[in-house]
């Protein structure tokens, strides 16, 4: 094969070299996230083609070797000679940074922000890429190695269809993680199907077969768009209103689509997107939505005398308790701000969203007076409950300030006061807590034992949360509190690593989930800042004579048995299954689970806020059937404890 592909693309190669030198600058990181980002980048281009009205079907295949194939039935990337560059347009798209949408200025290109770095980045970070273009009766291809074309675009036959097929194998020299997660890709494709109704997205996993020997696959398609997304997110919640509010309008080049519905829970679930990118930090579109919601509902309630007898003052938050809302805007030139560049900055968008949303909501309220009444009653209840919650919260915070150190009695604190080197272990049970206290490095490791199952915050009203002893202890140990607007103040956060350490069994997982639910609902910023971790105690101790080895899974256990048995009898090798932390002594717990040199901590991150919310409400809410279904399809301990 020809690898030295002409001198005129030296410039180009330098561009892609920059991507290989600092991949994180282009795709965020070189781990799990960045790896999946490559797929989103390629899929985004097909979505753009679909948005331009030329493509209906997109298929994503996870190949056996973890290469990804994305196929669409669009017009096919142009292959003709690009005048200025003197090479095929396809080659330019694949090898020039940010060359993505340059050939089709008339169309409405929406990628940008986090994605939109261009498919050439994917090419630069892949050990091999092949693109096949079918258009105008012919089939063309070009291949690349680490971004360098192996040959010029060539015709390889005839074709009846049109479309683009890209197969890429992420470079093992670049990425620290190479295994794709089906669930992660499925969640993103599902989200894209709701955000872009009418497009059919299929995910196929060639690595795994079902009972009939076919690859695992799923198709995501939404005819209705955002209202269906709301229904999906709220599947396990009871709706307060029967009809979701839905509006779609374009104004000043900004396309706005909003859907929302109230349910009987106390959670606020506002998810927003700009050009299909999840704006987890919100921004001007979300401000516009909130303003219109508060103003319109307040006006309606006042005009109908519904707030007359209410003593509590009603705040903006009260209008969003039990609200699930999706806001999707398409902005031609989005400005992204904030720590993770997921906050929309374009100031004109606030007014646009507000002016689109206000009249639509007013019309809904007038047309659905029964629904309107239920919403306003819920708002009043929220305001009243919020006052009770505020008092309960203040009690926790005041007590915190008054009791001398202000620290809970059960906390074994560390001696260092530098938060960025301090770790707090939240340990299941007093007995394991005691072992952890003996085993820890007291300079920087603190231990807070939690008794039994902490309160399920998913089902509790807010003021009950602050009355719960274990939860009070967590607040006081961490040194954080909510301000009047319930924004978490982390100025005095005492530990930058908060480690949940529970037994490696069903009960332990349940307690871990309860604690995670608490952090997700009450202290999400700690997760977003990367402060929350889960400890991974070993599952087995494999032992023969004085030799021993800890194991975290079946494969390790089998390998350890082989190794320790050597030429001898395998039955002489003992296997201890650790059912709980309590079965380890202090030294073992330190060696396997707490020692920063040898332990594995799993950092808790939020891949998709909408999906995380849905899973927490499924796992911790009232509905039993979907919870069982979720657990059965995801259970980790199903066969271990059977
Ligand atoms: C620009 C122009 C044309 C097609 C595309 C871009 C295109 C790009 C991608 C990327 C993935 N799939 C795609 N499908 C199409 C075609 C212009 C024309 O045919 O006139």
């Amino acid at each position: 094969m020809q690898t030295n592909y002409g001198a005129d693309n030296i410039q180009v190669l330098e561009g892609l070299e920059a991507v290989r030198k600092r991949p994180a600058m282009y795709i965020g990181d070189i781990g799990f996230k960045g790896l999946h980002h490559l797929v989103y980048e390629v899929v985004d281009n097909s979505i753009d083609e679909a948005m331009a009205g030329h493509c209906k079907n997109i298929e994503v295949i996870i190949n056996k070797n973890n290469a990804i194939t994305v196929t669409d039935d669009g017009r096919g990337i142009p292959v003709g000679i690009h005048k200025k560059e003197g090479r095929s347009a396809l080659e330019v798209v694949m090898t020039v940074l940010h060359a993505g949408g340059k050939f089709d200025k008339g169309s409405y290109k929406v990628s940008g922000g986090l994605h939109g770095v261009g498919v050439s980045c994917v090419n630069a970070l892949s050990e091999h890429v092949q693109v096949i273009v079918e258009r105008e009766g012919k089939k063309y291809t070009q291949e690349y190695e680490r971004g360098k074309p192996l040959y010029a675009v060539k015709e390889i036959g005839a074709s009846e269809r049109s479309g683009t097929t890209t197969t890429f194998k992420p470079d093992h020299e670049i990425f620290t993680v190479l295994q794709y997660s089906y669930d992660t890709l499925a969640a993103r494709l599902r989200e894209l199907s709701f955000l872009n109704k009418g497009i059919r997205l299929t995910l196929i996993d060639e690595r795994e077969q079902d009972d009939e020997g076919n690859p695992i696959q799923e198709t995501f398609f939404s005819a209705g768009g955002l209202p269906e997304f709301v229904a999906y997110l709220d599947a396990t919640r009871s709706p307060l209103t029967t009809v979701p509010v839905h509006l779609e309008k374009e104004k000043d080049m900004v396309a706005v689509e909003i859907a929302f519905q109230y349910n009987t829970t106390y959670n606020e679930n506002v998810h927003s997107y700009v050009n299909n990118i999840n704006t987890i930090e919100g921004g001007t579109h979300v401000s516009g939505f909130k303003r219109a919601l508060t103003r319109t509902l307040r006006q309606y309630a006042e005009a109908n005398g519904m707030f007359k007898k209410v003593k509590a003052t009603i705040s903006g938050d009260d209008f969003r308790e039990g609200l699930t809302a999706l806001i999707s805007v398409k902005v031609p030139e989005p400005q992204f701000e904030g720590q993770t560049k997921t906050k929309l900055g374009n100031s004109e968008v606030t007014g646009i969203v507000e002016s689109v949303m206000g009249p639509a909501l007013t019309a809904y309220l007038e047309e659905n007076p029964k629904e309107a009444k239920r919403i306003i009653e819920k708002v009043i209840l929220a305001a009243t409950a919020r006052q009770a919650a505020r008092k309960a919260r203040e009690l926790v915070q005041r007590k915190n300030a008054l009791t001398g150190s202000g620290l809970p009695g059960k906390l074994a604190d560390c001696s260092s006061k530098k938060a960025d080197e301090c770790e707090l272990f939240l340990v299941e049970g007093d007995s394991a807590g005691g072992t952890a206290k003996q085993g820890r490095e007291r300079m920087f490791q603190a231990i807070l034992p939690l008794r039994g199952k902490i309160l399920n915050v998913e089902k509790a009203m807010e003021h009950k949360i602050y009355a719960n002893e274990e939860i009070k202890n967590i607040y006081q140990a961490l040194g954080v509190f909510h301000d009047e607007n319930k924004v978490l103040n982390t100025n005095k956060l005492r530990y930058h690593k908060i480690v949940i350490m529970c037994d490696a069994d069903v009960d332990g997982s349940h307690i871990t989930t309860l604690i995670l639910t608490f952090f997700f609902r009450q202290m999400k910023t700690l997760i977003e800042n990367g402060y929350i971790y889960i400890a991974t105690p070993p599952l087995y101790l494999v032992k023969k004579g004085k030799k021993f080895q800890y194991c975290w899974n079946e494969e390790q256990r089998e390998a350890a048995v082989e190794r320790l048995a050597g030429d001898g009898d395998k039955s002489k090798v003992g296997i201890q299954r650790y059912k709980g932390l309590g079965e380890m002594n202090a030294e073992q717990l330190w060696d396997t689970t707490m020692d920063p040199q040898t332990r594995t901590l799993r950092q808790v991150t939020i891949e998709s806020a909408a999906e995380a919310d849905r899973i927490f409400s499924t796992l911790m809410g009232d509905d039993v059937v979907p919870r069982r279904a979720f657990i059965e399809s995801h259970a980790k301990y199903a066969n271990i404890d059977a």
Side-chain angles (χ1 to χ4, degrees), residues 361-574:
L361 179 55
T362 302
Y364 173 91
L365 296 170
E366 314 255 284
E367 284 161 25
N368 302 281
K370 277 193 190 139
E371 311 271 23
K373 186 159 173 266
R374 267 191 232 131
I375 295 173
I376 300 299
E377 278 167 1
K378 168 110 180 153
V379 171
I380 295 169
L381 197 69
T384 316
R386 195 175 302 279
Q387 236 170 20
R390 196 174 298 131
K391 280 189 191 135
R393 201 158 67 213
E394 280 166 7
L395 220 59
V396 174
Q397 286 161 197
R398 195 163 329 126
K399 201 168 143 206
N400 189 354
L402 288 182
T403 53
S405 74
L407 295 173
K410 288 173 93 181
L411 174 75
D413 205 9
C414 52
S415 49
S416 166
K417 295 287 168 252
K418 291 184 205 141
D420 57 357
E421 66 180 24
C422 291
E423 305 178 345
L424 174 66
F425 283 79
L426 301 173
V427 185
E428 169 186 356
D430 287 335
S431 124
T435 314
K437 271 182 212 175
Q438 288 168 32
R440 69 176 170 151
E441 169 56 75
R442 67 175 302 142
M443 214 280 279
F444 64 95
Q445 290 181 321
I447 309 292
L448 180 65
L450 298 175
R451 188 160 19 93
K453 301 202 164 164
I454 78 160
L455 180 75
N456 180 358
V457 301
E458 193 68 28
K459 289 198 210 168
M461 282 192 77
E462 203 184 346
H463 67 277
K464 292 262 169 67
I465 296 176
Y466 302 111
N468 181 273
E469 206 57 42
E470 309 302 313
I471 287 177
K472 262 196 246 176
N473 285 345
I474 296 177
Y475 270 101
Q476 296 180 351
L478 293 179
V480 297
F481 61 92
H482 300 282
D483 68 13
E484 317 79 70
N485 302 316
K486 230 205 128 187
V487 175
L488 191 72
N489 185 319
T490 57
N491 289 344
K492 299 232 166 78
L493 178 65
R494 303 177 63 250
Y495 315 91
H496 283 188
K497 276 207 176 80
I498 299 152
V499 185
I500 304 169
M501 188 161 75
C502 295
D503 292 343
D505 66 1
V506 173
D507 272 352
S509 310
H510 188 209
I511 294 168
T512 300
T513 312
L514 284 164
I515 300 173
L516 276 178
T517 307
F518 164 73
F519 282 118
F520 184 73
R521 294 295 181 203
Q522 294 291 119
M523 299 190 180
K524 199 190 262 168
T525 33
L526 297 188
I527 302 181
E528 287 164 349
N529 283 320
Y531 294 153
I532 309 291
Y533 296 82
I534 298 173
T536 54
L539 288 181
Y540 302 101
L541 175 63
V542 178
K543 220 170 153 180
K544 188 185 168 201
K546 281 190 177 154
K547 289 187 194 156
F548 63 92
Q549 188 177 335
Y550 297 105
C551 302
W552 276 260
N553 55 46
E554 322 302 303
E555 295 90 74
Q556 285 180 0
R557 184 195 63 195
E558 279 158 27
V561 170
E562 292 280 339
R563 192 177 68 84
L564 292 184
D567 295 333
D569 184 358
K570 275 191 203 163
S571 65
K572 295 254 165 66
V573 181

Side-chain angles (χ1 to χ4, degrees), residues 220-412:
F220 306 101
F221 174 84
S222 171
L226 293 193
E228 290 181 12
F229 200 173
V230 171
Y232 170 76
L233 292 177
D234 274 2
T236 63
R237 299 181 175 106
S238 310
L240 186 74
T241 52
T242 48
V243 201
V245 186
H246 183 216
L247 60 102
E248 250 183 303
K249 215 166 175 184
E250 193 175 317
K251 194 180 174 191
D252 302 338
M253 301 282 291
V254 176
V256 181
E257 184 179 0
I258 295 173
F260 61 92
Q261 183 161 26
Y262 285 88
N263 59 64
T264 59
T265 74
Y266 313 110
N267 296 321
E268 171 182 339
N269 267 308
V270 178
H271 301 290
S272 65
Y273 297 83
V274 174
N275 302 351
N276 290 334
I277 293 159
N278 188 192
T279 35
I280 44 185
E281 297 175 274
T284 51
H285 52 329
V286 178
S287 306
F289 168 81
K290 287 183 178 174
R291 266 210 248 172
L293 185 81
T294 304
R295 184 183 299 184
T296 311
L297 286 176
R298 201 186 280 282
Q299 246 166 26
Y300 179 88
E302 273 162 7
N304 291 282
M306 296 161 109
F307 281 165
K308 260 192 211 144
K309 289 188 192 148
V310 183
K311 296 210 183 74
T313 43
I314 297 172
S315 72
D317 291 346
D318 297 325
F319 291 92
R320 298 191 300 275
E321 202 172 283
L323 173 72
T324 297
L326 290 159
I327 305 158
S328 169
V329 297
K330 308 248 159 98
V331 184
E333 280 180 54
Q335 242 68 64
F336 289 103
E337 304 171 345
Q339 255 187 349
T340 52
K341 290 269 177 269
T342 56
K343 182 177 183 183
L344 183 67
N346 304 49
S347 58
E348 71 281 6
V349 175
T350 303
I352 294 174
V353 173
E354 201 176 351
S355 69
V356 169
M357 159 96 172
L361 179 55
T362 302
Y364 173 91
L365 296 170
E366 314 255 284
E367 284 161 25
N368 302 281
K370 277 193 190 139
E371 311 271 23
K373 186 159 173 266
R374 267 191 232 131
I375 295 173
I376 300 299
E377 278 167 1
K378 168 110 180 153
V379 171
I380 295 169
L381 197 69
T384 316
R386 195 175 302 279
Q387 236 170 20
R390 196 174 298 131
K391 280 189 191 135
R393 201 158 67 213
E394 280 166 7
L395 220 59
V396 174
Q397 286 161 197
R398 195 163 329 126
K399 201 168 143 206
N400 189 354
L402 288 182
T403 53
S405 74
L407 295 173
K410 288 173 93 181
L411 174 75

Side-chain angles (χ1 to χ4, degrees), residues 45-46 49 72 75-78 104 135 164:
N45 288 310
S46 298
E49 181 69 356
D72 68 46
R75 291 166 296 175
I77 301 178
D104 212 11
R135 55 182 281 142
T164 305

